[in-house]
Each structure stands twice: as structure tokens, then as C-alpha cells.
Amino acid sequence: MYRFLMSRQWVILTLIALLLIPTMIRLGIWQMHRYDERTARNQLVTDALAAEPVPVEKLTAPGHTVTSTERYRTVTAQGRFDTEDEVVVRRRTNSDDEVGYHVLTPFVLDDGKVLLVNRGWIPSEGPSQTAFPKVPAPPGGEVTVEGRLMPDETTAASGIKNLQGLPDRQIMLINSEQQARRLGATVLGGYISQTAPEPKGDTPELLGDPGKEDAALNYAYAVQWWLFSAAVPVGWVVLARREARERAQKAAERPDATTSEPAAV
């Protein structure tokens, strides 16, 4: 009844099914790993945002690499903005996906070290982006700033190419080592995204809170792959039984080749 399973068509179908089952199981396991990773990163963000603000030099120093547990921690610093050495970071978008710049202003601490402060987003003034844009001035004199600590940007981590030959006072990546060489100063590792004080007229536009990754989606994908892997053998059995039933019906409908017609009188 099931001799058809040895046919070329069914052998190929069976081999495909046997290959799909472990592949889908592995894809489900991979999605669960992604779920665990994203859940852990989301927890780090939650913990960092909930932590009490600390002076910036408690978490970073010249040459320091900001770690994943230090990222997004709220820090404070006291000093003054150095607008003469201010630069803008090209090709940055705001919450509405409009392309513009981030304003990066050196902040000279009371002990003479420099903290890089991303003051937020401003729109570009034209499609060419060759001229230095008009940047609203920060508060003058001695001021206390607050912001989220961020690691240095690199091409490897961000995918952004560090282009050469850019217009004057424009950069692609926020990197404390590069800025230390440009400024000829002692610069703290990483930078901060300013959260306070808020700018006058809401410009530059402060960066929003870091978004959380959709870990639940990976969990759903994992369950989906495992359901698919379970459906493969079920589908194979259903197809095989249907094939056997159809063959049996066709066999029953065929006239018996061994039965002869009665002779005419």
C-alpha cells in the first residue's frame, strides 16, 4: 500500500523534510539566543537610566573605553562650553528621520580636562552640507551639564565610514581620541548626550531616550520556527496517507483484469 514511498519523488520529499526539521530547530535556538541577548541589553538600559547621576569623572577618564554597563548612565559635569572649537557631526537624523547634524561642543571642566558634549540635533541648511551651519549658542560662563554617557563611535561598531576631506569643522564620528588630537587637549573617553540644561527655543533638539530592542519578537520567531519543525512530519504523514488513499480508490475503481466477459449465446 505504501510502496510509492520508495518512488523518486517521495524519496526526495522525505529527504527535504528530514533536512528541514533540524534546520528549523536550529533557527529557533538562534532566535532564543537573540532574545536572551536583547533582553540583557534592555535590562542594562533600564538599570542605567534608573541609576542616580554621578560626576562624569567617576565613570570615565582620558583614554577610557566606556563599557556596556556604563553606557547611558547619567553623569554631571561643571565647567564651560568652548564654542570656538565646536564641530558638527554629519548625516544625523532626528525623531522624524530628518537629516541634519549633531552639535558636538567641547566642555572644559574645572580641572582643565575636556568632556565632549553632544548638544543635540539641528537641521541642515541645504542639500550640499558644505558650509558650517548656524548653531545656537550654549549657556555662557560656568554651568553644570547633565547627560547620558556614551562610548566612542567607531566605523566597526557603527558602520559609519570615517570620511576624509570633509568641510571645515565637520566630522563623521564622535571619537574622543580623534578630538583629543584635534584640540591638543586631555579629553575624557567617550562623550555625553546632553539632557540638561534644556536649550532655549528647543534648539538644538535634545536626543531622546534610548529605545529598547523588541526582544519579544525574537521569542515569537523562535516559537514559530519550532512550530514549523513540528508541522513538517505531521504534513509528511498527512500527504502520505492522502496519497495512499487516492491510490487505493483508483485501484478499486479499475475493472479486474482477470475477469472475463460471459460468452454470447
Side-chain angles (χ1 to χ4, degrees):
M1 184 176 179
Y2 285 94
R3 288 180 180 177
F4 67 87
L5 293 177
M6 300 305 296
S7 67
R8 183 171 179 269
Q9 177 184 356
W10 272 92
V11 168
I12 293 174
L13 183 62
T14 302
L15 290 175
I16 292 174
L18 292 175
L19 179 63
L20 284 175
I21 292 171
T23 300
M24 291 178 175
I25 291 174
R26 289 184 64 85
L27 286 171
I29 293 172
W30 177 75
Q31 287 290 352
M32 283 302 296
H33 287 322
R34 291 283 294 157
Y35 167 77
D36 291 337
E37 291 171 358
R38 287 186 163 188
T39 300
R41 284 197 290 266
N42 287 342
Q43 189 59 51
L44 286 174
V45 173
T46 299
D47 294 343
L49 295 179
E52 291 294 322
V54 297
V56 65
E57 290 187 271
K58 282 193 173 183
L59 294 181
T60 186
H64 175 72
T65 299
V66 176
T67 66
S68 58
T69 56
E70 295 165 343
R71 187 178 187 179
Y72 300 127
R73 284 288 304 274
T74 301
V75 296
T76 59
Q78 189 169 356
R80 59 177 180 82
F81 283 105
D82 175 16
T83 55
E84 292 185 3
D85 289 314
E86 189 171 64
V87 294
V88 292
V89 192
R90 294 168 60 88
R91 300 179 185 174
R92 300 301 167 108
T93 57
N94 65 356
S95 57
D96 296 322
D97 288 330
E98 297 173 315
V99 179
Y101 304 95
H102 281 178
V103 180
L104 187 68
T105 310
F107 188 77
V108 183
L109 306 178
D110 291 339
D111 61 5
K113 297 186 183 72
V114 173
L115 170 66
L116 300 177
V117 177
N118 184 343
R119 295 203 289 124
W121 181 89
I122 59 172
S124 60
E125 297 176 346
S128 62
Q129 294 188 339
T130 55
F132 189 77
K134 293 181 180 179
V135 180
E142 192 80 3
V143 64
T144 298
V145 296
E146 187 174 288
R148 294 184 295 271
L149 184 62
M150 301 293 294
D152 286 326
E153 296 178 347
T154 63
T155 297
S158 66
I160 301 173
K161 294 182 179 179
N162 195 17
L163 303 178
Q164 303 297 320
L166 295 176
D168 187 38
R169 299 177 67 185
Q170 295 191 25
I171 61 174
M172 295 297 300
L173 295 169
I174 305 177
N175 186 282
S176 60
E177 292 184 1
Q178 294 176 4
Q179 293 304 306
R181 290 193 295 270
R182 181 181 72 88
L183 297 169
T186 302
V187 179
L188 301 182
Y191 67 98
I192 69 168
S193 293
Q194 183 178 335
T195 56
E198 295 187 3
K200 295 180 179 179
D202 297 327
T203 306
E205 179 184 319
L206 296 181
L207 306 184
D209 289 338
K212 293 186 178 181
E213 301 182 42
D214 192 357
L217 191 61
N218 293 102
Y219 188 90
Y221 285 155
V223 173
Q224 187 180 60
W225 280 119
W226 290 334
L227 289 175
F228 286 160
S229 69
V232 169
V234 173
W236 186 92
V237 170
V238 170
L239 288 175
R241 295 188 65 177
R242 186 173 67 181
E243 178 85 3
R245 185 169 59 251
E246 290 176 353
R247 286 173 178 265
Q249 289 175 352
K250 289 180 180 178
E253 293 171 358
R254 284 200 305 267
D256 191 348
T258 62
T259 303
S260 60
E261 294 291 335
V265 177

